[in-house]
Amino acid sequence: MWRGAAVRVLRSGGTGKPRAASGTATAELRRRLESELEDIRGAGTWKNERVITSRQGPHLRLAGGGAGILNFCANNYLGLSSHPEVIRAAVEALEKFGAGLSSVRFICGTQSIHKDLEEKIARFHQREDAILYASCFDANAGIFEALLTPEDAVLSDELNHASIIDGIRLCKANKYRYKHMDMQDLEAKLQDAQKHRLRLVATDGAFSMDGDIAPLREICQLAQKYDALVFIDECHATGFLGPNGRGTDELLGVMDKVTIINSTLGKALGGAAGGYTTGPKPLIDLLRQRSRPYLFSNSLPPAVVGCASKALDLLMESNAIAQSMAAKTQRFRSKMTAAGFTISGKDHPICPVMLGDARLAAVMAEDMLNRGIYVIGFSYPVVPKGKARIRVQISAVHSDEDIDRCVEAFTEVGQKHGALP
């Protein structure tokens, strides 16, 4: 203990306080950063982080005394983040396999539970194999560079998640961006891309900011017509879309036509962390050899693996949890529409309340919290300018009373700020 204290004192110059770097360059950097931060505040797009002092769930306790807060902004679609069996599985994995591996997978970071979870993911999606990542952001960052060459082409929906956009930027393939869910534009670009060796259409299955679902049937038809492959990011679909919660490809009946699926363990499947790619075994084998986020990141912690594995067990034992979302989603959407709000998307638990003005979205979200409803306003650069919104997310563990209370608060706040007649 005394050694740690001595090191802290030495690093702080003997005062015990943090020491800032000095010099002209540092001063200029600080000035520029503070100016940029002030611009963000002035534009009304500053993002505050509210501190939660309880478990994730439909009811939260916030730092500063906020208790009994209704939570409508988490990706905890199935309520499994606090499910007792999921928590118990995490504790058991922690006790049996330790806190972490201190290593990447190919050195000494692969445990039996990693292989078991990969097999379970592949079985759940009815694919040949799967590979785990620290996050789906990493999975998206790692696949395009490993798979595509300058001889190939990738065609991406313009509203794809930032991780897909960044992953595509890393690869050397020829890049096409088609208008959001516009099949005529996609077909025109597929025609132009015929000169390339391999063509990969990349899309979110469900779009996180808008709550709309990709037209996968039409995408797969075009892919078949122009001899292309289909990739989908299922972060906002895995676990609850489709009859058994397998995602948008199951929902739309094209499981045999989608080649590659990337998804997350950090939303519906336990809510901790982690992501994966599932698809043809040769592709998964290639990713183990060439995917940089996989090769250079520590293995998933055993507790996280235990959470996700139990979440998948629960889903594969019964589709009751996955099917519990539809009625609650419909209840919120129909009541909000009747109140006069515009709700983007269709039949998805992501329910964006469209407001347009960034400052209005931020002020209304703050007022909602004062009424005990935790929601977040989204504005540029997360969404396009002029498309600010409050994104509401329904969970299987919300009660009808929770949903009705949320709608009532929105109606009061919307009338107060002129968002409703």
Side-chain angles (χ1 to χ4, degrees), residues 294-317:
Y294 177 82
L295 290 169
F296 297 103
S297 296
N298 263 23
S299 310
L300 272 184
V304 173
V305 177
C307 280
S309 185
K310 176 53 69 174
L312 282 169
D313 287 342
L314 293 172
L315 283 174
M316 288 192 282
E317 287 168 7

Side-chain angles (χ1 to χ4, degrees), residues 93 97-106 108-122 129-134 265 274-276 288 294 297-306 308-309 312:
F97 291 98
L101 277 299
S102 306
S103 180
V104 300
R105 288 282 296 269
F106 81 95
C108 64
T110 300
Q111 292 177 319
S112 57
I113 52 172
H114 294 102
K115 300 304 292 182
D116 292 343
L117 178 56
E118 287 168 339
E119 185 277 330
K120 195 173 292 186
I121 288 168
D129 202 357
I131 179 174
L132 291 170
Y133 286 87
L265 306 173
Y276 58 85
R288 293 192 195 280
Y294 177 82
S297 296
N298 263 23
S299 310
L300 272 184
V304 173
V305 177
S309 185
L312 282 169

Side-chain angles (χ1 to χ4, degrees), residues 58-371:
H59 301 267
L60 298 176
R61 184 170 56 253
L62 299 182
I69 302 296
L70 274 177
N71 180 16
F72 277 91
C73 60
N75 298 315
N76 185 25
Y77 294 111
L78 300 179
L80 297 181
S81 296
S82 299
H83 193 287
E85 291 187 48
V86 172
I87 294 171
R88 191 179 308 116
V91 172
E92 290 172 357
L94 180 66
E95 290 177 341
K96 182 175 181 179
F97 291 98
L101 277 299
S102 306
S103 180
V104 300
R105 288 282 296 269
F106 81 95
I107 297 178
C108 64
T110 300
Q111 292 177 319
S112 57
I113 52 172
H114 294 102
K115 300 304 292 182
D116 292 343
L117 178 56
E118 287 168 339
E119 185 277 330
K120 195 173 292 186
I121 288 168
R123 181 156 40 92
F124 177 71
H125 285 285
Q126 298 180 0
R127 297 306 195 274
E128 294 177 12
D129 202 357
I131 179 174
L132 291 170
Y133 286 87
S135 68
C136 190
F137 203 112
D138 280 343
N140 286 342
I143 189 167
F144 300 103
E145 183 182 24
L147 177 62
L148 303 175
T149 74
E151 299 179 64
D152 304 319
V154 56
L155 303 94
S156 175
D157 188 294
E158 65 180 348
L159 293 189
N160 275 340
H161 191 266
S163 58
I164 298 177
I165 294 169
D166 286 358
I168 289 173
R169 284 174 177 162
L170 290 171
C171 78
K172 296 180 180 179
N174 299 273
K175 302 170 181 66
Y176 296 80
R177 186 174 67 171
Y178 64 91
K179 296 175 185 176
H180 181 48
M181 300 200 309
D182 186 328
M183 296 299 96
Q184 287 186 330
D185 193 38
L186 174 57
E187 182 165 20
K189 289 181 167 58
L190 277 168
Q191 289 170 347
D192 188 51
Q194 287 301 103
K195 56 183 175 278
H196 303 298
R197 182 190 65 170
L198 183 151
R199 292 156 296 284
L200 177 68
V201 180
T203 181
D204 280 335
F207 291 85
S208 62
M209 286 298 117
D210 295 278
D212 47 10
I213 296 170
L216 274 184
R217 290 194 191 101
E218 292 81 359
I219 289 173
C220 290
Q221 287 169 0
L222 287 174
Q224 187 171 12
K225 181 178 179 180
Y226 293 99
D227 195 23
L229 304 174
V230 177
F231 162 98
I232 54 175
D233 178 314
E234 289 284 81
C235 286
H236 292 275
T238 299
F240 57 93
L241 287 188
N244 299 288
R246 291 190 172 94
T248 54
D249 60 339
E250 183 187 48
L251 177 72
L252 298 173
V254 291
M255 290 186 71
D256 59 334
K257 295 179 174 59
V258 173
T259 310
I260 307 166
I261 294 173
N262 276 13
S263 195
T264 182
L265 306 173
K267 293 182 171 59
L269 300 184
Y276 58 85
T277 296
T278 185
K281 189 177 189 311
L283 169 66
I284 303 306
D285 290 343
L286 180 70
L287 293 175
R288 293 192 195 280
Q289 303 304 312
R290 291 187 179 173
S291 182
R292 291 165 68 85
Y294 177 82
L295 290 169
F296 297 103
S297 296
N298 263 23
S299 310
L300 272 184
V304 173
V305 177
C307 280
S309 185
K310 176 53 69 174
L312 282 169
D313 287 342
L314 293 172
L315 283 174
M316 288 192 282
E317 287 168 7
S318 169
N319 67 352
I321 302 176
Q323 291 300 306
S324 66
M325 296 295 303
K328 294 178 181 183
T329 297
Q330 178 59 28
R331 185 181 187 93
F332 179 81
R333 284 180 170 273
S334 62
K335 283 179 173 284
M336 287 290 285
T337 301
F341 289 101
T342 298
I343 311 299
S344 180
K346 182 181 178 182
D347 300 331
H348 194 284
I350 292 175
C351 304
V353 182
M354 303 304 293
L355 299 169
D357 182 76
R359 194 178 298 278
L360 175 63
V363 170
M364 281 185 60
E366 196 63 35
D367 240 5
M368 289 288 288
L369 184 60
N370 293 334
R371 287 165 170 76

